[in-house]
Amino acid sequence: MSGAGDGLSVLVVNAGSSSIKLRLLGPDDEVLATTDLHADRHGFDEDELRVFLHGDRPDVVGHRVVHGGTQFTDPTLIDDEVVAELGRLVELAPLHQPAALKGIEAVHDVLPDVASVACFDTSFHTTLPPAAFTYALPREWLRRWPIRRYGFHGLSHAYASRHVAELARADGLDVDPAALRTVVCHLGAGASLCAVKGGRSVDTTMGFTPLEGLVMATRSGSVDPGLVLWLLRDDRLSLDDLEEGLEHESGLLGLGGSKDLRDLVDGDGPDPQAAALALDVYVHRLVTSVAAMTASLGGLDLLGFTGGVGEHDAVVRSRVAQRLAYLGVALDAHRNDSADGDTDVTAPGAAVRTYVVAAREDLQIAQEARRVVAG
């Protein structure tokens, strides 16, 4: 399976708390094989990885790692020192970092002689200006602890923003790439926006944790910190109950009774009024946050939708576009309703071009991994 030059085959590893997603890409990014393996707190069955590879040996392995802290601003070749440093970052991402570390360990056991590269969801956002990443907290706190807005979904935002720009240029958009202003809407179970100017992240909605920002499937998104303090006072909620509520019982599930946006759009749940409110809140937060991203950019040229909701929910895209019409966003109803994969859904004459793009973090990881091993 060895490729020539930069055309290396890549095993892309995306480890989660309950599964590990594997995708084997050939030298030209063709998908050779893909599978999801069950995982638990102990990791996953390495024999299943061996079966998946069928004896093939990729040229390089690319691991999605959620948190790179302030230490890792670029994809990084994994060695013992890097693994130790990633372990020290577990406190910043206790739900995600341990899974990535188990994936790294397991793949190393199966492929000990193959170079592995850590590709970070936070690294795309290391270009945020200080005004965008700094919390207005006591300076002593900022000196003592690694408190800042890190941002997440960076691998998805990096790919989607670049791909949207490629599609627009192919369609004849004539804008200086260094000045191109794009907002990417990564909408899935987790959701975030990214303002990208000239290929660089300049603002995003997630912050110190993935809990900040948009309303999500089960996460609250941004709430008043005074509310959090109120809930903790006088034993209203324990710290564990508060964390469980904000992370797993809020968002669409908390408001509408389902974490699946399709149920709320269709109104199939037991409480149609609650479903309608949940959808209204979701769209309101999304629209106002897109507008905030355009303020960071000084305008808007391209709008991209990606992720499970972004790719497949025409109703949400339509409602967002209607509310953003004042910015020059308008969708072609037929294209929007029938969008499948990478699709230009822009209405004729609209000032802002809007695209639906398939989420392909694997391609971003493969590109970064190849770049590292190529030196």
Side-chain angles (χ1 to χ4, degrees):
M1 286 183 54
S2 180
D6 290 340
L8 305 176
S9 61
V10 183
L11 173 64
V12 176
V13 181
N14 188 342
S17 59
S18 61
S19 69
I20 185 165
K21 299 178 181 179
L22 302 174
R23 181 166 287 185
L24 190 61
L25 300 182
D28 296 316
D29 283 336
E30 66 276 24
V31 178
L32 302 178
T34 182
T35 192
D36 291 1
L37 304 182
H38 173 72
D40 56 27
R41 61 188 181 89
H42 301 294
F44 68 98
D45 189 340
E46 294 176 9
D47 287 338
E48 292 183 339
L49 173 59
R50 293 185 176 91
V51 171
F52 169 73
L53 292 173
H54 298 297
D56 289 330
R57 184 180 183 276
D59 297 305
V60 60
V61 180
H63 290 267
R64 176 184 176 234
V65 180
V66 166
H67 218 303
T70 57
Q71 301 94 313
F72 298 105
T73 59
D74 293 296
T76 302
L77 194 65
I78 297 173
D79 57 21
D80 290 343
E81 184 178 343
V82 169
V83 169
E85 195 63 37
L86 295 178
R88 285 188 279 272
L89 293 173
V90 166
E91 64 174 358
L92 294 179
L95 297 177
H96 300 94
Q97 206 81 348
L101 288 167
K102 289 186 177 71
I104 289 170
E105 179 183 9
V107 171
H108 176 72
D109 289 343
V110 175
L111 299 169
D113 299 324
V114 177
S116 283
V117 176
C119 304
F120 300 96
D121 261 329
T122 51
S123 64
F124 186 59
H125 303 298
T126 57
T127 55
L128 293 180
F133 73 66
T134 304
Y135 287 110
L137 296 172
R139 282 187 291 176
E140 177 60 22
W141 296 6
L142 301 178
R143 281 196 294 263
R144 289 177 62 186
W145 297 300
I147 298 174
R148 58 163 285 163
R149 300 185 68 250
Y150 288 100
F152 299 90
H153 292 145
L155 293 164
S156 177
H157 286 306
Y159 170 77
S161 60
R162 185 179 71 251
H163 191 49
V164 165
E166 291 170 347
L167 293 173
R169 283 194 294 271
D171 289 340
L173 181 67
D174 185 18
V175 175
D176 179 3
L180 190 63
R181 301 165 299 182
T182 305
V183 172
V184 175
C185 306
H186 175 101
L187 307 178
S192 69
L193 307 179
C194 186
V196 182
K197 189 168 187 176
R200 295 163 62 87
S201 172
V202 297
D203 207 350
T204 190
T205 52
M206 286 181 169
F208 182 73
T209 75
L211 192 56
E212 187 179 358
L214 303 176
V215 173
M216 303 175 225
T218 66
R219 299 177 204 160
S220 64
S222 295
V223 297
D224 183 348
L227 169 61
V228 175
L229 295 175
W230 184 83
L231 289 169
L232 289 173
R233 286 196 185 102
D234 302 323
D235 296 323
R236 292 184 178 95
L237 289 176
S238 70
L239 183 59
D240 287 342
D241 288 340
L242 179 63
E243 182 177 36
E244 178 68 16
L246 293 174
E247 290 276 3
H248 303 294
E249 299 172 356
S250 295
L252 297 175
L253 177 64
L255 284 178
S258 175
K259 62 183 179 180
D260 191 330
L261 193 63
R262 291 170 295 187
D263 294 338
L264 307 181
V265 171
D266 295 338
D268 291 337
D271 190 339
Q273 286 186 322
L277 176 62
L279 183 59
D280 286 345
V281 172
Y282 181 90
V283 171
H284 174 80
R285 182 72 64 83
L286 178 53
V287 167
T288 56
S289 298
V290 171
M293 294 294 105
T294 68
S296 295
L297 291 168
L300 183 63
D301 301 307
L302 299 176
L303 180 63
F305 289 93
T306 191
V309 173
E311 294 173 45
H312 302 297
D313 202 307
V315 171
V316 167
R317 293 194 301 263
S318 177
R319 290 185 61 172
V320 169
Q322 289 170 12
R323 294 272 300 275
L324 295 175
Y326 73 97
L327 290 173
V329 178
L331 305 188
D332 180 284
H334 174 70
R335 289 180 178 179
N336 184 50
D337 290 342
S338 59
D340 182 18
D342 297 344
T343 309
D344 180 358
V345 294
T346 312
V352 174
R353 297 205 180 192
T354 304
Y355 291 86
V356 177
V357 294
R360 292 297 304 270
E361 291 171 316
D362 59 320
L363 294 181
Q364 182 68 25
I365 292 169
Q367 181 190 74
E368 293 185 4
R370 291 186 184 113
R371 189 169 71 240
V372 169
V373 298

